[in-house]
Amino acid sequence: MRWLIERRTAVGLALVFALFAVAGVASYRSLRQYGETTRWLLHTHGVLARIDSGLITLLDIQTGTRGFVLTGDPRYLEPYEHALPEVPTELDRLRQLTADNPRQQKRLDHLELLVPQFIAEMKVGLEIRRRKGFDAAVAQVASGRGKKLMDEIRAVFAEMEEEERQLLKVRTGAAGAGARLAILVSSVSSLLAVLLFVFCFHLVQRQIHRTQQAEIEARDARAYAESIVDTVREPLLVLRGDLRVVSANRSFYEFFQATESETLGRHLCDLGAGQWNLPQLRASLENILPQNGHFHDFEVEHEFPRLGRRTLLLNARKLYHQGNHTQLILLALADITERKRAEGAILRAKEEAERSNRFKDQFLSTMSHELRTPLNAVMGFSELLGDENYGPLNDRQRRYLGHVRNGGQHLLKLINDILDLSRMEAGRLELAPENISVEAVFSEALETIQPLAARRSHTLLQRTEPGLALRADATRFRQILLNLLGNAVKFTPDGGSIELTARPEGGAVRVEVRDTGPGIPLEEQQRIFEAFYRLRSAGQASEEGTGLGLAITSRLVELHGSRLEVQSEPGKGSGFFFRLPAQEFVAQAPQEIFATEPPLILIVEDDPLAAHLIRSQLTTAGYRVEHCGKSERALKMAAELQPAAITLDILMKPVNGWEVLSRLRADSTVAHIPVLIVSVVDQPGVGIALGADDYLVKPVDKSALLTAVRRCLARRGVSVPARPILLVEDDAATREVIGELLASEGLPYASAADGQQARDWVATTLPDLVLLDLVLPCVSGIELLSEWRSNPRTANLPVFVLTGKDLTRKEAAFLLNHTEMLLHKQQSWQQPLLKQLRRVLALEQGMGS
């Protein structure tokens, strides 16, 4: 029975609202039609006024000219001089006002031919009067050319005025009819509004009765919820905004050995003889309601009177009590004393185990800082002196300063080499292998070494096959090449040649640096790879250097799983070569990006807050995101979703991140997916070794995360999301036309059908550019533009306006000052729009690259 009553009520209400809606729509359309007719009436009056103004301006020119011709008095030229510059403006205004009338436009075309001839004729008369006198000027006026032109101009203006008066008559009649229709429709709408009010009053009375029943049910539900809360093992407190206790669960009373009389209604800081009077905790709780926030894992270590010294972990967040519309705070407390003790024991054991490496790390750190800091000062100030900013130097001073600079560079290289060698000996130099284009790295290395080779007139040669690639740590591979090339430059006589080659060889790539130097004796070909050993030529001192370059190069090659070898004969030059695994390296062109299908990122993270943070950072950058909160399901979700990339935490249960990574790399269906580790565990070397594409240590800011994701996707040839163009247009057909135009150019876009949608969209995601209509439901385009320009976040957001609205002078000036482009739908706008879009978007990409 109750269902039948509600159904009948809903049907009746729907009928009344439908009638009211129909009346409202009719009223709106009639008022809108009346307003449109009135606007055209005002427009016609404006055109008539402008026609009169234009004709008067030309008459002022004629009057001033005749007065000067007759009298020779320059004062008669004041109307002429005032009116002359106004003529183009008057004609332009007439053309703008009659843009909708082709007949008037044709008349204006005729005027634009006659008016310059008329003005020229007036100027000729003035010039004749000045130079030849009154008689000559009168004769020129008597020729009648000026009068004939003025008569033709008057005729054109008369035709234009007659056209506008006919339009005025038609539009006046239409306005009267529209006003009568608007009054009728408004009366019907008012009557319907009264009926709707009576019906709604009846419904309100029924709703009051139902609300009373709901309150009874809510009290029962509250009692049920409180019984559930009492079963929670963690102590819980519910606080008001002034931090007075509203309720506590049974675990709180049992753990803190308190009673309800000692707890309820009391201030948190007064509980347990002031044991909760902690300034930092109080400040954090007081900020929750004003800032609509929360805090997570707030750790408190305190001496409690009845419990002794305990360590508690506090979590708090805002609650909203719907019954009395009050805001409350839920405070959860967890005793982690035993866990902290266990963590302390583990930490002490770890410190003991790492004691042997600590002294070496301290030495390396001290050496790096204590030697590099003064050395940078020496080299920096020597460079300043060499620029002679503080006075000229004589030849001896320049020579001595060059010795200082060269010595500093030599010492800096020695320090860097020793640090690299020490890290390699300690096993602390980690590699991050990746697929490398040989041709690209060769070009970079030769470009770096070119200035040194040019000083000794060396010829640098590069030979490699296109598309050849190998697997290595990119930074260390470049270091190997630069060390070998620098060594070749050092030992090759002036005018010699140095060749850098790479070729496939049995599933590997053989990389070789060959020079035309003096060669290396056979007995020294193995010793040159020893640290601090420097080659000596017969009867000559050893070459300048640290003696570490080849030793470090050899060990770097060995870290890559290869061996640095030498082929040399005295007098026939030397060649150093090694082999690294060959790889397929295909430079993929970026895929087209559509706003509907940005790359999908799978977040494997069991901490909800950390996952929420990563999700927010990725979604605001344009990615699609899925979250896997259970590590044991990561492989299955990756296989089902086939995401473009995966972010992976390490500290997870029951399956940790290392195991998840191993499973992903072992499964052929998902092994191709890039994996980015985001964890507090600082072991990037282990992660890269197990197959991770990149590694970030928490906390990670947004820019670092997005850069790493883009880097991972680029390595696998996956396109990264671009910020879309926001299309704000309420007309569905127009929105579809513009959308098709943007899609045909490969431009990603999102659309908003009214001003409020556009406002919400920009508030959460900043677009690359906004294409904005001015006449919108909810919020107008002018209001949106004003808001965006007053907000520092969107002050420089590019905005193109495409509208059919007739703009006032004030609106046009505002748009010209605050938009990149203004287009009218009445004109041809497609090609100008695309041209400007390409220009603006290309400029932004250039600035961001």
Side-chain angles (χ1 to χ4, degrees):
M1 184 63 184
R2 179 181 177 183
W3 181 84
L4 290 175
I5 293 174
E6 291 179 349
R7 182 178 180 183
R8 292 168 185 171
T9 301
V11 170
L13 183 61
L15 289 175
V16 172
F17 270 106
L19 290 173
F20 187 68
V22 170
V25 170
S27 178
Y28 169 78
R29 294 185 60 180
S30 62
L31 290 174
R32 183 174 179 180
Q33 181 178 1
Y34 176 69
E36 183 70 13
T37 306
T38 303
R39 186 179 69 81
W40 279 110
L41 278 174
L42 295 175
H43 175 78
T44 306
H45 282 294
V47 174
L48 288 170
R50 188 55 59 190
I51 291 173
D52 290 341
S53 176
L55 182 59
I56 290 171
T57 301
L58 293 172
L59 289 174
D60 285 345
I61 293 175
Q62 185 182 40
T63 302
T65 303
R66 289 183 174 178
F68 180 75
V69 168
L70 293 173
T71 65
D73 189 346
R75 288 178 298 178
Y76 282 94
L77 288 178
E78 288 182 3
Y80 168 87
E81 292 172 347
H82 177 73
L84 189 60
E86 293 294 324
V87 171
T89 303
E90 294 291 342
L91 293 178
D92 286 344
R93 289 172 180 170
L94 269 175
R95 184 168 290 281
Q96 292 175 4
L97 288 172
T98 60
D100 60 309
N101 192 329
R103 294 187 299 276
Q104 297 289 49
Q105 293 287 301
K106 289 185 64 175
R107 295 183 182 109
L108 281 172
D109 292 340
H110 189 196
L111 276 178
E112 288 179 348
L113 294 175
L114 294 173
V115 168
Q117 298 177 27
F118 171 73
I119 293 175
E121 185 67 24
M122 295 298 102
K123 288 182 178 179
V124 169
L126 293 176
E127 191 64 23
I128 292 174
R129 180 64 174 87
R130 290 190 183 101
R131 293 186 176 182
K132 298 181 180 181
F134 175 77
D135 294 335
V138 170
Q140 191 271 343
V141 171
S143 67
R145 287 191 298 272
K147 180 178 183 302
K148 181 180 179 182
L149 288 170
M150 190 60 195
D151 290 343
E152 290 185 32
I153 290 171
R154 287 176 182 271
V156 174
F157 272 109
E159 291 175 3
M160 293 181 70
E161 182 176 0
E162 179 61 25
E163 171 90 10
E164 293 300 324
R165 293 198 179 280
Q166 291 297 325
L167 287 174
L168 183 62
K169 182 177 180 181
V170 172
R171 289 168 180 170
T172 300
R180 290 189 294 273
L181 178 61
I183 292 171
L184 176 62
V185 172
S186 298
S187 300
V188 173
S189 299
S190 300
L191 178 60
L192 287 176
V194 172
L195 295 176
L196 179 61
F197 173 81
V198 174
F199 185 77
C200 290
F201 178 80
H202 173 68
L203 290 181
V204 168
Q205 292 297 321
R206 293 179 59 192
Q207 187 61 35
I208 290 174
H209 175 70
R210 293 179 181 177
T211 302
Q212 291 172 347
Q213 291 296 115
E215 289 177 352
I216 296 173
E217 296 173 1
R219 283 197 295 270
D220 295 339
R222 179 178 178 181
Y224 177 74
E226 288 177 349
S227 65
I228 294 176
V229 170
D230 278 338
T231 65
V232 176
R233 298 180 61 183
E234 285 188 348
L236 299 176
L237 281 178
V238 177
L239 309 173
R240 292 204 306 259
D242 59 0
L243 304 189
R244 292 191 175 274
V245 179
V246 176
S247 64
N249 69 344
R250 183 176 303 170
S251 297
F252 178 86
Y253 295 127
E254 292 176 352
F255 183 80
F256 291 101
Q257 302 174 21
T259 64
E260 289 189 5
S261 61
E262 296 173 336
T263 306
L264 298 182
R266 298 174 65 103
H267 196 281
L268 177 66
C269 296
D270 296 334
L271 298 182
Q275 63 187 10
W276 294 103
N277 192 11
L278 304 174
Q280 188 177 0
L281 173 61
R282 182 171 183 171
S284 300
L285 289 170
E286 289 175 345
N287 287 332
I288 286 181
L289 294 184
Q291 298 181 4
N292 197 24
H294 65 277
F295 63 75
H296 182 65
D297 290 349
F298 182 86
E299 190 173 305
V300 173
E301 186 175 357
H302 190 63
E303 187 74 30
F304 293 92
R306 300 175 183 175
L307 303 175
R309 191 159 195 84
R310 311 297 291 180
T311 302
L312 301 179
L313 203 62
L314 279 60
N315 292 273
R317 65 176 54 251
K318 175 182 174 181
L319 294 177
Y320 184 74
H321 192 283
Q322 293 185 349
N324 52 16
H325 303 287
T326 58
Q327 295 179 338
L328 304 173
I329 301 171
L330 175 63
L331 178 63
L333 309 97
D335 183 12
I336 60 169
T337 306
E338 297 304 322
R339 192 181 84 184
K340 294 293 290 185
R341 289 173 182 170
E343 290 175 354
I346 294 173
L347 182 60
R348 287 190 295 273
K350 181 181 178 182
E351 290 175 351
E352 187 66 26
E354 295 177 348
R355 186 180 298 275
S356 60
N357 291 327
R358 188 176 304 148
F359 294 110
K360 176 175 283 191
D361 292 341
Q362 290 175 351
F363 167 74
L364 294 176
S365 177
T366 301
M367 184 177 181
S368 174
H369 181 269
E370 298 299 332
L371 293 181
R372 282 176 172 167
T373 299
L375 185 58
N376 286 336
V378 170
M379 296 179 65
F381 283 114
S382 65
E383 186 174 352
L384 287 176
L385 290 175
D387 292 338
E388 300 188 4
N389 293 327
Y390 303 98
L393 303 177
N394 57 42
D395 292 340
R396 179 178 294 180
Q397 289 171 330
R398 291 193 190 92
R399 187 169 64 256
Y400 290 171
L401 191 60
H403 294 330
V404 172
R405 194 178 305 159
N406 292 336
Q409 292 173 347
H410 178 73
L411 182 56
L412 181 60
K413 187 177 187 308
L414 176 61
I415 293 170
N416 291 333
D417 288 345
I418 290 174
L419 289 173
D420 277 347
L421 193 62
S422 300
R423 282 196 289 266
M424 284 187 283
E425 288 179 347
R428 301 180 67 84
L429 187 64
E430 299 178 344
L431 299 181
E434 59 181 293
N435 293 353
I436 300 172
S437 169
V438 175
E439 189 174 10
V441 180
F442 273 20
S443 299
E444 181 182 343
L446 290 175
E447 184 179 352
T448 303
I449 211 71
Q450 177 62 41
L452 295 177
R455 295 177 190 172
R456 304 187 62 176
S457 302
H458 290 158
T459 300
L460 298 179
L461 303 173
Q462 173 184 342
R463 289 190 175 89
T464 183
E465 296 182 7
L468 195 61
L470 51 80
R471 186 161 184 81
D473 182 296
T475 302
R476 296 302 177 181
F477 182 59
R478 281 191 291 268
Q479 183 179 355
I480 291 170
L481 295 181
L482 290 174
N483 282 351
L484 293 177
L485 289 170
N487 196 63
V489 169
K490 184 189 303 181
F491 286 96
T492 301
D494 293 354
S497 65
I498 300 169
E499 184 178 19
L500 178 60
T501 65
R503 67 175 187 270
E505 189 177 276
V509 177
R510 175 183 167 125
V511 180
E512 182 173 4
V513 176
R514 179 165 292 279
D515 61 55
T516 57
I520 304 172
L522 183 61
E523 63 274 11
E524 295 197 63
Q525 288 185 10
Q526 293 305 316
R527 296 198 61 192
I528 57 176
F529 298 118
E530 298 176 4
F532 301 105
Y533 180 80
R534 291 184 289 180
L535 180 65
R536 296 176 182 271
S537 300
Q540 296 181 355
S542 62
E543 289 285 344
E544 180 182 349
T546 64
L548 291 175
L550 284 177
I552 291 174
T553 303
S554 176
R555 298 190 188 191
L556 287 174
V557 172
E558 291 172 0
L559 285 174
H560 282 83
S562 184
R563 180 184 176 189
L564 182 61
E565 301 180 60
V566 59
Q567 289 179 344
S568 180
E569 293 182 25
K572 295 185 178 180
S574 304
F576 292 86
F577 64 93
F578 57 93
R579 300 172 183 85
L580 293 177
Q583 297 289 333
E584 292 186 5
F585 187 84
V586 180
Q588 297 186 3
Q591 302 172 359
E592 277 194 313
I593 306 163
F594 298 94
T596 55
E597 284 297 330
L600 172 65
I601 311 297
L602 175 62
I603 302 172
V604 183
E605 170 66 73
D606 62 352
D607 184 345
L609 290 179
H612 178 72
L613 175 61
I614 297 175
R615 174 189 289 272
S616 300
Q617 292 171 336
L618 291 174
T619 52
T620 56
Y623 294 96
R624 293 182 297 136
V625 174
E626 290 289 342
H627 174 221
C628 175
K630 296 182 179 180
S631 56
E632 65 271 21
R633 297 189 65 248
L635 181 60
K636 181 179 180 182
M637 287 190 66
E640 292 175 353
L641 297 174
Q642 289 294 312
I646 299 172
T647 71
L648 176 65
D649 189 22
I650 297 300
L651 299 179
M652 296 186 294
K653 293 181 180 180
V655 182
N656 64 41
W658 301 127
E659 179 64 24
V660 173
L661 180 59
S662 299
R663 294 179 183 178
L664 290 171
R665 287 295 173 252
D667 193 314
S668 60
T669 62
V670 295
H672 63 283
I673 301 174
V675 177
L676 167 63
I677 293 179
V678 183
S679 174
V680 295
V681 179
D682 189 3
Q683 296 183 16
V686 177
I688 300 300
L690 290 177
D693 291 75
D694 215 324
Y695 200 108
L696 295 177
V697 179
K698 296 178 182 176
V700 179
D701 61 25
K702 181 178 179 180
S703 61
L705 175 66
L706 296 181
T707 300
V709 170
R710 287 176 178 271
R711 191 162 54 238
C712 288
L713 296 179
R715 288 174 182 168
R716 300 298 176 104
V718 180
S719 62
V720 295
R723 289 186 299 164
I725 295 171
L726 177 59
L727 170 58
V728 187
E729 172 62 61
D730 62 325
D731 181 72
T734 304
R735 193 165 60 246
E736 184 176 358
V737 169
I738 300 174
E740 289 292 332
L741 185 65
L742 297 176
S744 68
E745 291 292 312
L747 297 174
Y749 72 94
S751 59
D754 58 49
Q756 186 60 45
Q757 289 183 14
R759 175 189 282 166
D760 296 341
W761 206 98
V762 172
T764 56
T765 304
L766 195 64
D768 212 3
L769 180 144
V770 177
L771 188 56
L772 179 67
D773 190 9
L774 295 182
V775 182
L776 297 168
C778 303
V779 184
S780 73
I782 294 289
E783 291 177 88
L784 286 175
L785 188 58
S786 300
E787 292 175 7
W788 292 339
R789 288 298 178 251
S790 62
N791 188 338
R793 175 174 171 270
T794 54
N796 296 319
L797 175 63
V799 177
F800 284 13
V801 170
L802 175 60
T803 183
K805 183 178 187 296
D806 289 326
L807 302 175
T808 65
R809 187 179 303 175
K810 184 177 180 181
E811 289 173 339
F814 175 81
L815 294 175
L816 289 174
N817 289 330
H818 293 91
T819 63
E820 278 63 31
M821 192 175 191
L822 174 59
L823 296 169
H824 293 277
K825 294 178 181 177
Q826 302 92 326
Q827 302 170 353
S828 177
W829 53 267
Q830 287 88 344
Q831 290 305 316
L833 173 63
L834 289 178
K835 181 179 179 181
Q836 291 302 315
L837 281 174
R838 296 188 193 106
R839 181 187 66 81
V840 171
L841 295 178
L843 178 61
E844 290 187 344
Q845 292 169 3
M847 294 173 63
S849 61

